[in-house]
Amino acid sequence: MNSYQKALRINKRKVLLTQIILFVLFVLLWELLSQIGLINDFLFSSPSKIIKLLISYFKSNEIYKHIMISLFETIIGLIIGTVFGILFGIVFWWNKFLSKVFDPFLVVLNALPKTALAPILIIWAGTGVFGIIVVSVSISLILTIISSYNYFKNIDEEKILMLKSFGANRLQILFKLVIPYNIPNLINLIKINIGMTWVGVIVGEFLVSRMGIGYLIMYGSQVFKMDLVMMGVIILAVIAFIMYEIVNIIEKKIRKNRGI
Amino acid sequence: MEEVFNIENVKKTFYDKNSSLMVLDNLSLKGYKKEIIGIIGPSGSGKSTILNILSNLLKIDEGTVKVNGKVGYMFQRDHLLEWRNIYDNILFGLEIEKNLTTSNKSNAVSLLEKYGLKDFIHAYPKQLSGGMRQRISLIRTLSIKPDLLLLDEPFSALDYQTRINICDDVYKMIKDQNICSVLVTHDIGEAISMCDKVVILSNRPAKIKKIYDFTETFDDVKTPFERRTHPLFNRFFNEIWQELSDQK
């Protein structure tokens, strides 16, 4: 390892260490302030109370069903939103006429606050798991279509010409240039969609469910148990972080395979 | 000599929403095997249009275009695909043609070997210098065994020194093949040093103003670099310079 690499590594560790210190300080301060009564732990809860509650939820095995159902809804919503979004992106790339026709509709749908439509969607799609998935897809789908279409159409014209000079047809241009070229962009899209799908799932669970992390948070706020609300938020943060990291690992593998 | 392409009385007009632009007006040109033809002219004179017509990427309005055999096209930028290693890049043309036979593959690899790039077969494009990338790009085009090679300002994205060097390399690579090449450029020195014939185009719509034939002049000169030091080089350079300046 040369001195530059060493410096890089030390710098990376410094960042991580500072992050950990900041986090620990924040938790300690929160705990301390609630212990001495400077903040009201009935309103703001406290780390120790949250951990106690978390342990009891894990002991009674009750937490698992909440995590599982939310996770299930999110993963299905993420897959549907991303896959169909990209498929529509491909269709619009393939057919200029369709992309022109649908452009204003997509712009309006994108500008609309989708969470405002959630109550209607739930009524249409049913109040079960399916309805919640529909809400989560509605949030990620439109932006995925617009973004992926923009990625696809912004490919260098001369690169396409290069393929055509070898006699490539449109299908070859799609699969040998447009999609592989945009793999890093599509992975980024998945990362963005993880967050958006979670928003959809939580909103959906706020509205109708009797289970899930969104339900826990909603229930906690209704009975004024802030420990429960905070616990829900923390579980949510941890799971979202893990999902994000999984995509990161996949991305690194792909990058390595492509020598980038 | 064997004729490779022949375009006769070709007309081409581009249409815009509210204007039209005549680019080629009754242009005729022939190319033979083993010949390197340079096309030089003011910007926007339709040099690239001629290549796009020869490669059938563009349809003509009037006239005839005959090409005997396969066309290979090399662009200004190398357009190597960053996610493929060099091996997969040089086979890309064959892959598109669904022509990945064992003999075609080994032919492509032997081209790498011949031009000193074999060591980079597993490397990725971004690890290579601009001059190397451009040579890889040429090998990708030569792998499909074209009869007519089109080069659209292939060196203009490179720095001056690399350019002079790569001229020699590419000249050798082309001359090794039994093909006809058309080189579009706006670099007068490049045209004189590499080409057997140099076609001077007029302003738009393009007509052939003059054709210089260097086959006999530089008969005993082996490389483009040597041509640049030939006593007649400067004379031709000034003549063509004058020719191009006159039309402005």
Side-chain angles (χ1 to χ4, degrees):
Chain A
M1 215 189 305
N2 60 33
S3 62
Y4 172 72
Q5 285 169 318
K6 250 182 210 160
L8 217 63
R9 207 162 146 183
I10 289 171
N11 193 34
K12 210 173 158 190
R13 282 186 189 164
K14 260 190 199 162
V15 170
L16 184 68
L17 196 69
T18 315
Q19 286 168 333
I20 293 170
I21 290 172
L22 268 179
F23 179 73
V24 171
L25 272 181
F26 172 76
V27 174
L28 283 180
L29 195 70
W30 185 6
E31 181 64 32
L32 190 75
L33 289 178
S34 65
Q35 288 283 350
I36 60 172
L38 220 67
I39 56 173
N40 187 344
D41 67 354
F42 179 69
L43 289 179
F44 292 98
S45 188
S46 77
S48 59
K49 284 171 103 178
I50 295 168
I51 291 169
K52 237 183 259 166
L53 189 69
L54 194 61
I55 290 170
S56 78
Y57 260 87
F58 269 106
K59 268 191 181 152
S60 67
N61 284 334
E62 213 198 319
I63 195 71
Y64 295 113
K65 65 174 189 195
H66 294 294
I67 291 179
M68 281 320 197
I69 193 78
S70 291
L71 202 58
F72 172 76
E73 289 158 353
T74 306
I75 289 173
I76 300 295
L78 178 67
I79 291 172
I80 294 176
T82 310
V83 169
F84 279 86
I86 292 172
L87 279 181
F88 276 113
I90 291 173
V91 169
F92 290 141
W93 173 82
W94 192 281
N95 192 324
K96 265 213 170 95
F97 176 77
L98 280 184
S99 83
K100 272 185 189 154
V101 168
F102 282 96
D103 180 65
F105 298 110
L106 285 174
V107 169
V108 170
L109 278 175
N110 188 41
L112 220 60
K114 262 81 63 187
T115 43
L117 293 179
I120 314 173
L121 287 175
I122 290 272
I123 291 169
W124 288 340
T127 55
V129 169
F130 180 68
I132 293 170
I133 291 175
V134 168
V135 172
S136 79
V137 169
S138 79
I139 290 183
S140 64
L141 184 70
I142 304 296
L143 198 66
T144 310
I145 296 174
I146 293 176
S147 311
S148 60
Y149 169 63
N150 275 325
Y151 292 141
F152 295 156
K153 92 175 170 183
N154 281 334
I155 266 190
D156 188 351
E157 271 306 315
E158 210 183 74
K159 268 206 165 62
I160 293 178
L161 221 56
M162 184 271 284
L163 266 82
K164 281 187 181 164
S165 79
F166 289 120
N169 57 35
R170 222 156 152 64
L171 216 56
Q172 285 176 315
I173 293 172
L174 178 66
F175 284 110
K176 299 217 185 273
L177 176 69
V178 174
I179 290 178
Y181 184 88
N182 278 304
I183 290 286
N185 288 330
L186 296 181
I187 289 174
N188 263 331
L189 214 50
I190 295 174
K191 286 185 189 170
I192 295 168
N193 279 351
I194 289 176
M196 295 211 284
T197 312
W198 269 111
V199 170
V201 166
I202 297 298
V203 167
E205 287 180 349
F206 277 2
L207 290 172
V208 287
S209 76
R210 263 155 250 100
M211 239 196 279
I213 297 166
Y215 163 78
L216 280 185
I217 294 172
M218 200 52 168
Y219 174 75
S221 73
Q222 276 167 356
V223 298
F224 238 80
K225 263 179 84 179
M226 288 307 136
D227 308 342
L228 191 54
V229 175
M230 289 296 183
M231 186 188 89
V233 173
I234 287 167
I235 291 172
L236 196 60
V238 170
I239 296 175
F241 178 73
I242 291 171
M243 285 176 79
Y244 198 82
E245 279 305 306
I246 290 172
V247 177
N248 259 342
I249 290 167
I250 295 170
E251 183 181 19
K252 263 186 199 149
K253 272 225 164 105
I254 291 174
R255 274 178 189 274
K256 222 175 153 189
N257 278 339
R258 309 169 123 217
I260 302 169
Chain B
M1 271 197 292
E2 208 175 318
E3 188 183 286
V4 176
F5 74 87
N6 184 1
I7 53 184
E8 268 179 295
N9 305 320
V10 163
K11 284 187 184 182
K12 176 72 198 174
T13 305
F14 286 114
Y15 294 96
D16 204 335
K17 230 187 234 170
N18 33 31
S19 67
S20 65
L21 198 63
M22 191 169 192
V23 180
L24 301 180
D25 184 16
N26 264 324
L27 189 108
S28 301
L29 191 63
K30 270 184 194 179
Y32 299 96
K33 227 171 203 177
K34 293 211 161 196
E35 203 175 40
I36 304 181
I37 301 167
I39 297 180
I40 199 160
S43 14
S45 61
K47 302 188 290 284
S48 300
T49 308
I50 297 175
L51 296 192
N52 287 338
I53 283 171
L54 280 171
S55 61
N56 207 16
L57 291 171
L58 213 58
K59 296 273 170 280
I60 52 168
D61 301 331
E62 269 176 56
T64 54
V65 176
K66 253 192 286 173
V67 177
N68 299 320
K70 215 164 166 183
V71 181
Y73 204 136
M74 184 173 168
F75 295 88
Q76 191 172 349
R77 283 170 295 144
D78 53 70
H79 291 302
L80 298 181
L81 305 178
E82 303 293 334
W83 58 91
R84 287 168 169 250
N85 64 20
I86 299 308
Y87 180 69
D88 289 334
N89 260 297
I90 59 170
L91 296 183
F92 189 67
L94 293 166
E95 190 181 318
I96 293 289
E97 290 184 342
K98 300 196 170 94
N99 209 358
L100 277 172
T101 60
T102 323
S103 77
N104 279 336
K105 280 193 213 164
S106 61
N107 173 54
V109 174
S110 74
L111 285 172
L112 267 189
E113 209 164 359
K114 199 165 170 189
Y115 302 113
L117 293 160
K118 182 82 189 288
D119 292 344
F120 300 97
I121 192 162
H122 297 300
Y124 282 85
K126 71 158 194 177
Q127 295 166 291
L128 270 52
S129 69
M132 282 176 171
R133 292 177 62 122
Q134 203 57 289
R135 280 182 289 162
I136 299 286
S137 156
L138 179 57
I139 291 174
R140 176 181 62 195
T141 309
L142 293 179
S143 296
I144 63 163
K145 295 180 183 158
D147 303 283
L148 173 60
L149 176 67
L150 309 175
L151 304 127
D152 190 1
E153 305 198 25
F155 314 124
S156 59
L158 304 172
D159 64 85
Y160 188 72
Q161 225 178 342
T162 314
R163 234 160 123 163
I164 301 287
N165 285 329
I166 204 179
C167 271
D168 280 11
D169 294 338
V170 168
Y171 181 79
K172 188 175 177 300
M173 286 163 90
I174 297 175
K175 282 289 172 184
D176 283 348
Q177 315 284 326
N178 201 11
I179 58 179
C180 170
S181 314
V182 180
L183 170 71
V184 159
T185 178
H186 53 237
D187 184 327
I188 301 171
E190 200 173 282
I192 301 172
S193 63
M194 282 191 73
C195 302
D196 302 311
K197 274 185 199 164
V198 173
V199 177
I200 314 287
L201 291 185
S202 69
N203 267 326
R204 206 172 37 225
K207 279 184 180 161
I208 292 175
K209 231 181 144 192
K210 198 168 178 183
I211 297 182
Y212 287 84
D213 195 332
F214 297 132
T215 14
E216 274 161 38
T217 325
F218 295 122
D219 193 30
D220 51 338
V221 191
K222 296 229 164 41
T223 69
F225 190 76
E226 279 174 42
R227 276 198 198 183
R228 285 177 187 268
T229 57
H230 195 277
L232 284 174
F233 181 86
N234 273 330
R235 217 196 75 201
F236 283 123
F237 190 98
N238 289 332
E239 247 182 68
I240 294 176
W241 176 265
Q242 213 53 52
E243 203 72 61
L244 288 170
S245 310
D246 280 350
Q247 30 198 341
K248 293 211 168 127

